[in-house]
Amino acid sequence: MADSSFDIVSKIDRQEVDNALGQAAREIATRFDFKGTGAKIEWQGEHAIEITASADDRANAVLDVFKDKLIKRQQSLKILDASEPRQSGRESKIGIALKEGISSENAKKITKLIRDEGPKGVKAQIQGDELRVSSKKRDDLQAVQALVKAQDYDFAVQFTNYR
């Protein structure tokens, strides 16, 4: 019997993030506490978002609204890398980078965890920015998924290609 396998990845569902950004922008445009603050949230290239407001606390409030919208769309907040509010003229800005992919050091951490604490006979190999986990038994793969989910990594983890 051939090995069963799955991939551990850290991907951004850009459509869901875009929808959350649109919802946050609509809410900011209509909410009373944002009237006259010049608060706005918009894409800054492919993998970055910028929040602009008249004060630091208003910029942070916009960030909270955006986080709420992401949570409602089942997106992990670990994909966000938000900077501290910075002054730009009379405005306060927050830059948010979107993190995607598993770095080689994080992949090594997961591989070591699977090797040390996972069931015997499970192999994990690093393939670019994802991890392929394979085993003869599907039950072992499900145990590995539970083990990886239980860890609190600083990046979002999804499981794909389960076969």
Side-chain angles (χ1 to χ4, degrees), residues 5 57 122-123 139:
S5 68
D57 64 326
V122 175
K123 297 185 287 293
D139 292 347

Side-chain angles (χ1 to χ4, degrees), residues 106-116 124 126 131:
N106 287 332
K108 286 176 186 168
K109 277 187 208 169
I110 296 174
T111 306
K112 183 173 175 11
L113 173 80
I114 292 170
R115 208 177 34 241
D116 295 347
I126 300 170
L131 215 70

Side-chain angles (χ1 to χ4, degrees), residues 27-41:
E27 182 170 325
I28 290 159
T30 58
R31 262 181 47 179
F32 178 76
D33 56 337
F34 288 119
K35 290 273 190 261
T37 61
K40 64 181 190 261
I41 181 170

Side-chain angles (χ1 to χ4, degrees), residues 11-39:
K11 295 222 181 297
I12 296 171
D13 187 347
R14 183 164 163 78
Q15 186 63 51
E16 289 294 341
V17 174
D18 193 38
N19 290 343
L21 185 116
Q23 285 181 333
R26 275 194 302 281
E27 182 170 325
I28 290 159
T30 58
R31 262 181 47 179
F32 178 76
D33 56 337
F34 288 119
K35 290 273 190 261
T37 61

Side-chain angles (χ1 to χ4, degrees), residues 7 13 16 18-19 31 36-37 49-51 70 72 76-80 82 89 110 130 132 140 148 157:
D7 295 337
D13 187 347
E16 289 294 341
D18 193 38
N19 290 343
R31 262 181 47 179
T37 61
I49 295 169
E50 188 174 67
I51 295 173
L70 281 175
K72 283 184 182 164
S76 172
L77 295 182
K78 294 177 180 177
I79 64 172
L80 300 181
I110 296 174
E130 57 185 44
R132 166 79 38 97
D140 290 349
V148 172
V157 175

Side-chain angles (χ1 to χ4, degrees), residues 16-160:
E16 289 294 341
V17 174
D18 193 38
N19 290 343
L21 185 116
Q23 285 181 333
R26 275 194 302 281
E27 182 170 325
I28 290 159
T30 58
R31 262 181 47 179
F32 178 76
D33 56 337
F34 288 119
K35 290 273 190 261
T37 61
K40 64 181 190 261
I41 181 170
E42 57 199 3
W43 283 104
Q44 202 70 27
E46 275 296 301
H47 294 289
I49 295 169
E50 188 174 67
I51 295 173
T52 308
S54 60
D56 287 357
D57 64 326
R58 292 292 85 204
N60 283 325
V62 172
L63 180 60
D64 290 341
V65 168
F66 181 55
K67 285 180 178 179
D68 288 345
K69 298 302 178 189
L70 281 175
I71 290 169
K72 283 184 182 164
R73 297 194 152 273
Q74 278 92 38
Q75 297 300 303
S76 172
L77 295 182
K78 294 177 180 177
I79 64 172
L80 300 181
D81 187 15
S83 67
E84 289 298 311
R86 66 186 190 284
Q87 288 298 325
S88 172
R90 279 189 274 159
E91 294 179 325
S92 183
K93 294 186 176 190
I94 298 177
I96 304 171
L98 299 177
K99 297 186 287 187
E100 188 170 34
I102 300 175
S103 69
S104 61
E105 63 194 43
N106 287 332
K108 286 176 186 168
K109 277 187 208 169
I110 296 174
T111 306
K112 183 173 175 11
L113 173 80
I114 292 170
R115 208 177 34 241
D116 295 347
E117 298 180 29
K120 298 289 175 239
V122 175
K123 297 185 287 293
Q125 59 255 114
I126 300 170
Q127 297 178 336
D129 63 349
E130 57 185 44
L131 215 70
R132 166 79 38 97
V133 181
S134 56
S135 171
K136 294 254 187 257
K137 295 189 219 145
R138 286 185 168 223
D139 292 347
D140 290 349
L141 292 180
Q142 289 174 336
V144 169
Q145 281 185 346
L147 179 68
V148 172
K149 275 184 192 170
Q151 300 299 313
D152 187 29
Y153 293 114
D154 61 346
F155 54 94
V157 175
Q158 295 97 19
F159 304 105
T160 60

